[in-house]
Short mmCIF file of all heavy atoms in Angstrom, two decimals:
data_model
loop_
_atom_site.label_atom_id
_atom_site.label_comp_id
_atom_site.label_asym_id
_atom_site.label_seq_id
_atom_site.Cartn_x
_atom_site.Cartn_y
_atom_site.Cartn_z
N MET A 1 2.39 18.91 4.87
CA MET A 1 2.09 17.77 5.69
C MET A 1 0.85 18.10 6.50
O MET A 1 0.62 19.25 6.87
CB MET A 1 3.25 17.38 6.61
CG MET A 1 4.49 16.95 5.87
SD MET A 1 5.76 16.16 6.96
CE MET A 1 5.03 14.53 7.15
N GLY A 2 0.07 17.10 6.76
CA GLY A 2 -1.15 17.33 7.52
C GLY A 2 -1.80 16.06 8.03
O GLY A 2 -1.29 14.96 7.87
N TRP A 3 -2.92 16.28 8.67
CA TRP A 3 -3.69 15.20 9.25
C TRP A 3 -5.12 15.29 8.78
O TRP A 3 -5.72 16.37 8.77
CB TRP A 3 -3.66 15.24 10.78
CG TRP A 3 -2.33 14.92 11.36
CD1 TRP A 3 -1.33 15.80 11.68
CD2 TRP A 3 -1.85 13.62 11.72
NE1 TRP A 3 -0.26 15.13 12.20
CE2 TRP A 3 -0.54 13.79 12.23
CE3 TRP A 3 -2.41 12.34 11.65
CZ2 TRP A 3 0.22 12.73 12.69
CZ3 TRP A 3 -1.63 11.28 12.09
CH2 TRP A 3 -0.34 11.47 12.61
N PHE A 4 -5.67 14.17 8.38
CA PHE A 4 -7.08 14.02 8.05
C PHE A 4 -7.69 13.01 9.01
O PHE A 4 -6.97 12.22 9.65
CB PHE A 4 -7.26 13.54 6.61
CG PHE A 4 -6.86 14.55 5.57
CD1 PHE A 4 -5.54 14.86 5.32
CD2 PHE A 4 -7.83 15.20 4.83
CE1 PHE A 4 -5.18 15.78 4.35
CE2 PHE A 4 -7.52 16.11 3.85
CZ PHE A 4 -6.17 16.41 3.61
N ARG A 5 -9.00 13.00 9.08
CA ARG A 5 -9.65 12.00 9.90
C ARG A 5 -10.97 11.60 9.23
O ARG A 5 -11.55 12.34 8.47
CB ARG A 5 -9.92 12.50 11.32
CG ARG A 5 -10.95 13.64 11.41
CD ARG A 5 -11.04 14.12 12.85
NE ARG A 5 -12.05 15.18 13.02
CZ ARG A 5 -12.24 15.89 14.13
NH1 ARG A 5 -11.47 15.63 15.20
NH2 ARG A 5 -13.16 16.83 14.18
N GLN A 6 -11.40 10.39 9.54
CA GLN A 6 -12.63 9.86 9.01
C GLN A 6 -13.31 9.02 10.05
O GLN A 6 -12.76 8.03 10.56
CB GLN A 6 -12.37 9.03 7.76
CG GLN A 6 -13.62 8.57 7.06
CD GLN A 6 -13.35 8.01 5.67
OE1 GLN A 6 -12.23 7.61 5.36
NE2 GLN A 6 -14.37 8.02 4.82
N ALA A 7 -14.53 9.42 10.40
CA ALA A 7 -15.34 8.68 11.32
C ALA A 7 -16.27 7.76 10.53
O ALA A 7 -16.58 8.01 9.37
CB ALA A 7 -16.17 9.63 12.19
N PRO A 8 -16.74 6.68 11.16
CA PRO A 8 -17.63 5.77 10.46
C PRO A 8 -18.87 6.48 9.90
O PRO A 8 -19.51 7.25 10.59
CB PRO A 8 -18.04 4.74 11.54
CG PRO A 8 -16.87 4.78 12.50
CD PRO A 8 -16.42 6.22 12.52
N GLY A 9 -19.16 6.23 8.63
CA GLY A 9 -20.30 6.85 8.00
C GLY A 9 -20.12 8.27 7.58
O GLY A 9 -21.08 8.87 7.09
N LYS A 10 -18.95 8.81 7.76
CA LYS A 10 -18.69 10.20 7.41
C LYS A 10 -17.54 10.29 6.40
O LYS A 10 -16.73 9.37 6.25
CB LYS A 10 -18.35 11.02 8.66
CG LYS A 10 -19.47 11.12 9.67
CD LYS A 10 -19.07 12.03 10.80
CE LYS A 10 -20.20 12.16 11.82
NZ LYS A 10 -19.83 13.06 12.96
N GLN A 11 -17.50 11.41 5.70
CA GLN A 11 -16.43 11.66 4.74
C GLN A 11 -15.14 12.05 5.44
O GLN A 11 -15.15 12.59 6.56
CB GLN A 11 -16.86 12.75 3.75
CG GLN A 11 -17.99 12.36 2.85
CD GLN A 11 -18.30 13.43 1.81
OE1 GLN A 11 -17.81 14.57 1.92
NE2 GLN A 11 -19.07 13.09 0.80
N ARG A 12 -14.05 11.78 4.80
CA ARG A 12 -12.76 12.19 5.34
C ARG A 12 -12.66 13.71 5.32
O ARG A 12 -13.09 14.37 4.37
CB ARG A 12 -11.63 11.59 4.51
CG ARG A 12 -10.24 11.89 5.01
CD ARG A 12 -9.17 11.18 4.22
NE ARG A 12 -9.24 11.54 2.80
CZ ARG A 12 -8.50 11.00 1.86
NH1 ARG A 12 -7.61 10.07 2.16
NH2 ARG A 12 -8.63 11.39 0.60
N GLU A 13 -12.13 14.27 6.38
CA GLU A 13 -12.04 15.72 6.51
C GLU A 13 -10.63 16.13 6.94
O GLU A 13 -9.94 15.39 7.64
CB GLU A 13 -13.06 16.26 7.50
CG GLU A 13 -12.82 15.78 8.93
CD GLU A 13 -13.79 16.42 9.93
OE1 GLU A 13 -14.42 17.43 9.57
OE2 GLU A 13 -13.89 15.93 11.08
N LEU A 14 -10.25 17.30 6.51
CA LEU A 14 -8.96 17.86 6.93
C LEU A 14 -9.06 18.32 8.36
O LEU A 14 -9.99 19.03 8.73
CB LEU A 14 -8.59 19.04 6.01
CG LEU A 14 -7.35 19.82 6.44
CD1 LEU A 14 -6.11 18.98 6.24
CD2 LEU A 14 -7.24 21.12 5.62
N VAL A 15 -8.10 17.91 9.16
CA VAL A 15 -8.00 18.36 10.55
C VAL A 15 -7.04 19.53 10.66
O VAL A 15 -7.37 20.55 11.25
CB VAL A 15 -7.54 17.19 11.45
CG1 VAL A 15 -7.41 17.68 12.90
CG2 VAL A 15 -8.52 16.03 11.36
N ALA A 16 -5.85 19.36 10.14
CA ALA A 16 -4.85 20.40 10.21
C ALA A 16 -3.77 20.13 9.17
O ALA A 16 -3.52 18.97 8.82
CB ALA A 16 -4.22 20.48 11.59
N GLU A 17 -3.15 21.17 8.69
CA GLU A 17 -2.04 21.03 7.76
C GLU A 17 -1.06 22.15 8.01
O GLU A 17 -1.37 23.18 8.57
CB GLU A 17 -2.51 21.00 6.31
CG GLU A 17 -3.16 22.30 5.83
CD GLU A 17 -3.62 22.21 4.39
OE1 GLU A 17 -3.37 21.19 3.74
OE2 GLU A 17 -4.22 23.19 3.90
N ILE A 18 0.19 21.92 7.53
CA ILE A 18 1.23 22.90 7.73
C ILE A 18 2.12 22.91 6.51
O ILE A 18 2.45 21.87 5.94
CB ILE A 18 2.04 22.58 9.00
CG1 ILE A 18 3.08 23.67 9.25
CG2 ILE A 18 2.67 21.21 8.92
CD1 ILE A 18 3.72 23.59 10.63
N THR A 19 2.50 24.12 6.08
CA THR A 19 3.45 24.28 4.98
C THR A 19 4.26 25.54 5.24
O THR A 19 3.72 26.61 5.51
CB THR A 19 2.74 24.37 3.64
OG1 THR A 19 3.69 24.61 2.59
CG2 THR A 19 1.69 25.50 3.60
N SER A 20 5.56 25.40 5.22
CA SER A 20 6.50 26.53 5.43
C SER A 20 6.17 27.27 6.72
O SER A 20 6.26 28.51 6.76
CB SER A 20 6.47 27.46 4.23
OG SER A 20 6.89 26.82 3.06
N GLY A 21 5.78 26.55 7.72
CA GLY A 21 5.48 27.14 9.02
C GLY A 21 4.06 27.70 9.15
O GLY A 21 3.66 28.04 10.28
N ARG A 22 3.33 27.76 8.09
CA ARG A 22 1.96 28.23 8.14
C ARG A 22 1.01 27.08 8.42
O ARG A 22 1.18 26.01 7.84
CB ARG A 22 1.54 28.93 6.85
CG ARG A 22 2.35 30.20 6.56
CD ARG A 22 1.80 30.91 5.33
NE ARG A 22 0.43 31.34 5.55
CZ ARG A 22 -0.36 31.87 4.62
NH1 ARG A 22 0.10 32.04 3.40
NH2 ARG A 22 -1.58 32.23 4.92
N THR A 23 0.06 27.31 9.27
CA THR A 23 -0.86 26.25 9.68
C THR A 23 -2.28 26.56 9.34
O THR A 23 -2.70 27.73 9.29
CB THR A 23 -0.76 26.01 11.18
OG1 THR A 23 -1.07 27.20 11.92
CG2 THR A 23 0.65 25.55 11.57
N THR A 24 -3.05 25.52 9.11
CA THR A 24 -4.48 25.62 8.86
C THR A 24 -5.17 24.57 9.71
O THR A 24 -4.72 23.43 9.80
CB THR A 24 -4.80 25.40 7.37
OG1 THR A 24 -4.12 26.34 6.59
CG2 THR A 24 -6.32 25.51 7.13
N TYR A 25 -6.28 24.97 10.32
CA TYR A 25 -7.04 24.07 11.20
C TYR A 25 -8.50 24.06 10.80
O TYR A 25 -9.06 25.07 10.37
CB TYR A 25 -6.93 24.48 12.64
CG TYR A 25 -5.55 24.42 13.22
CD1 TYR A 25 -4.72 25.54 13.22
CD2 TYR A 25 -5.05 23.22 13.76
CE1 TYR A 25 -3.46 25.49 13.76
CE2 TYR A 25 -3.77 23.18 14.30
CZ TYR A 25 -2.99 24.31 14.29
OH TYR A 25 -1.72 24.25 14.81
N ALA A 26 -9.12 22.91 10.96
CA ALA A 26 -10.58 22.86 10.88
C ALA A 26 -11.17 23.64 12.02
O ALA A 26 -10.62 23.69 13.13
CB ALA A 26 -11.05 21.39 10.95
N ASP A 27 -12.29 24.28 11.76
CA ASP A 27 -12.92 25.10 12.79
C ASP A 27 -13.23 24.29 14.06
O ASP A 27 -13.16 24.82 15.17
CB ASP A 27 -14.21 25.75 12.28
CG ASP A 27 -13.93 26.83 11.26
OD1 ASP A 27 -12.82 27.38 11.25
OD2 ASP A 27 -14.86 27.16 10.49
N SER A 28 -13.55 23.02 13.87
CA SER A 28 -13.95 22.19 14.99
C SER A 28 -12.81 21.88 15.96
O SER A 28 -13.05 21.49 17.10
CB SER A 28 -14.55 20.87 14.49
OG SER A 28 -13.63 20.16 13.71
N VAL A 29 -11.56 22.05 15.52
CA VAL A 29 -10.42 21.72 16.36
C VAL A 29 -9.56 22.93 16.69
O VAL A 29 -8.65 22.82 17.53
CB VAL A 29 -9.55 20.63 15.72
CG1 VAL A 29 -10.37 19.41 15.34
CG2 VAL A 29 -8.78 21.18 14.52
N LYS A 30 -9.82 24.05 16.07
CA LYS A 30 -9.01 25.24 16.29
C LYS A 30 -9.05 25.65 17.76
O LYS A 30 -10.10 25.72 18.39
CB LYS A 30 -9.53 26.38 15.42
CG LYS A 30 -8.58 27.56 15.34
CD LYS A 30 -9.05 28.59 14.32
CE LYS A 30 -8.03 29.70 14.17
NZ LYS A 30 -8.47 30.69 13.14
N GLY A 31 -7.86 25.89 18.29
CA GLY A 31 -7.75 26.23 19.69
C GLY A 31 -7.50 25.03 20.59
O GLY A 31 -7.09 25.22 21.75
N ARG A 32 -7.74 23.83 20.08
CA ARG A 32 -7.52 22.63 20.88
C ARG A 32 -6.37 21.79 20.32
O ARG A 32 -5.68 21.13 21.10
CB ARG A 32 -8.80 21.77 20.89
CG ARG A 32 -9.98 22.45 21.51
CD ARG A 32 -11.16 21.48 21.66
NE ARG A 32 -11.64 20.99 20.37
CZ ARG A 32 -11.67 19.72 20.02
NH1 ARG A 32 -11.20 18.78 20.85
NH2 ARG A 32 -12.14 19.36 18.83
N PHE A 33 -6.19 21.80 19.01
CA PHE A 33 -5.16 21.02 18.38
C PHE A 33 -4.05 21.92 17.89
O PHE A 33 -4.28 23.07 17.48
CB PHE A 33 -5.69 20.22 17.16
CG PHE A 33 -6.66 19.14 17.51
CD1 PHE A 33 -7.15 18.96 18.79
CD2 PHE A 33 -7.10 18.26 16.50
CE1 PHE A 33 -8.06 17.94 19.08
CE2 PHE A 33 -7.98 17.24 16.80
CZ PHE A 33 -8.48 17.08 18.06
N THR A 34 -2.83 21.39 17.84
CA THR A 34 -1.67 22.10 17.34
C THR A 34 -0.85 21.20 16.45
O THR A 34 -0.50 20.09 16.87
CB THR A 34 -0.79 22.65 18.47
OG1 THR A 34 -1.58 23.47 19.34
CG2 THR A 34 0.37 23.45 17.91
N ILE A 35 -0.57 21.65 15.24
CA ILE A 35 0.24 20.88 14.31
C ILE A 35 1.64 21.52 14.23
O ILE A 35 1.77 22.75 14.29
CB ILE A 35 -0.43 20.80 12.91
CG1 ILE A 35 0.34 19.82 12.01
CG2 ILE A 35 -0.52 22.17 12.27
CD1 ILE A 35 -0.40 19.50 10.72
N SER A 36 2.65 20.71 14.09
CA SER A 36 4.00 21.18 13.99
C SER A 36 4.86 20.20 13.23
O SER A 36 4.49 19.03 13.09
CB SER A 36 4.62 21.46 15.37
OG SER A 36 4.67 20.24 16.14
N THR A 37 6.00 20.67 12.75
CA THR A 37 6.97 19.83 12.05
C THR A 37 8.35 20.06 12.65
O THR A 37 8.59 21.06 13.32
CB THR A 37 7.00 20.10 10.55
OG1 THR A 37 7.34 21.47 10.32
CG2 THR A 37 5.65 19.81 9.91
N ASP A 38 9.27 19.13 12.35
CA ASP A 38 10.65 19.36 12.74
C ASP A 38 11.35 20.20 11.70
O ASP A 38 10.76 20.56 10.67
CB ASP A 38 11.36 18.02 12.99
CG ASP A 38 11.64 17.26 11.73
OD1 ASP A 38 11.20 17.67 10.63
OD2 ASP A 38 12.29 16.18 11.81
N ASN A 39 12.61 20.51 11.94
CA ASN A 39 13.33 21.40 11.05
C ASN A 39 13.48 20.84 9.64
O ASN A 39 13.53 21.59 8.65
CB ASN A 39 14.71 21.72 11.62
CG ASN A 39 14.65 22.58 12.85
OD1 ASN A 39 13.71 23.37 13.04
ND2 ASN A 39 15.65 22.48 13.70
N ALA A 40 13.58 19.54 9.52
CA ALA A 40 13.75 18.90 8.23
C ALA A 40 12.42 18.73 7.51
O ALA A 40 12.41 18.35 6.33
CB ALA A 40 14.43 17.56 8.39
N LYS A 41 11.33 18.99 8.20
CA LYS A 41 9.98 18.85 7.63
C LYS A 41 9.71 17.46 7.12
O LYS A 41 8.94 17.27 6.17
CB LYS A 41 9.76 19.89 6.54
CG LYS A 41 9.82 21.31 7.02
CD LYS A 41 9.47 22.31 5.92
CE LYS A 41 9.53 23.73 6.42
NZ LYS A 41 9.18 24.71 5.35
N ASN A 42 10.31 16.51 7.76
CA ASN A 42 10.00 15.11 7.41
C ASN A 42 9.18 14.40 8.48
O ASN A 42 8.89 13.22 8.33
CB ASN A 42 11.28 14.34 7.13
CG ASN A 42 12.19 14.25 8.34
OD1 ASN A 42 12.01 14.96 9.33
ND2 ASN A 42 13.18 13.35 8.28
N THR A 43 8.81 15.14 9.50
CA THR A 43 7.90 14.62 10.52
C THR A 43 6.84 15.65 10.80
O THR A 43 7.07 16.85 10.66
CB THR A 43 8.60 14.24 11.83
OG1 THR A 43 9.15 15.41 12.45
CG2 THR A 43 9.70 13.22 11.58
N VAL A 44 5.68 15.19 11.22
CA VAL A 44 4.59 16.09 11.58
C VAL A 44 3.93 15.55 12.83
O VAL A 44 3.75 14.34 12.99
CB VAL A 44 3.58 16.25 10.42
CG1 VAL A 44 2.93 14.93 10.06
CG2 VAL A 44 2.51 17.29 10.79
N THR A 45 3.59 16.45 13.71
CA THR A 45 3.00 16.09 15.00
C THR A 45 1.70 16.82 15.17
O THR A 45 1.55 17.97 14.80
CB THR A 45 3.98 16.46 16.14
OG1 THR A 45 5.18 15.69 16.02
CG2 THR A 45 3.33 16.14 17.49
#
């Protein structure tokens, strides 16, 4: 599960994603954004 974003005139980019508790962040948001899921992994925040 993850989050992407797209600004006007720009390509869609990965912001953050999570799988099995492991997280990945875009360099531009690392340290500012935090991604998480619930125990059932059916929600992402």
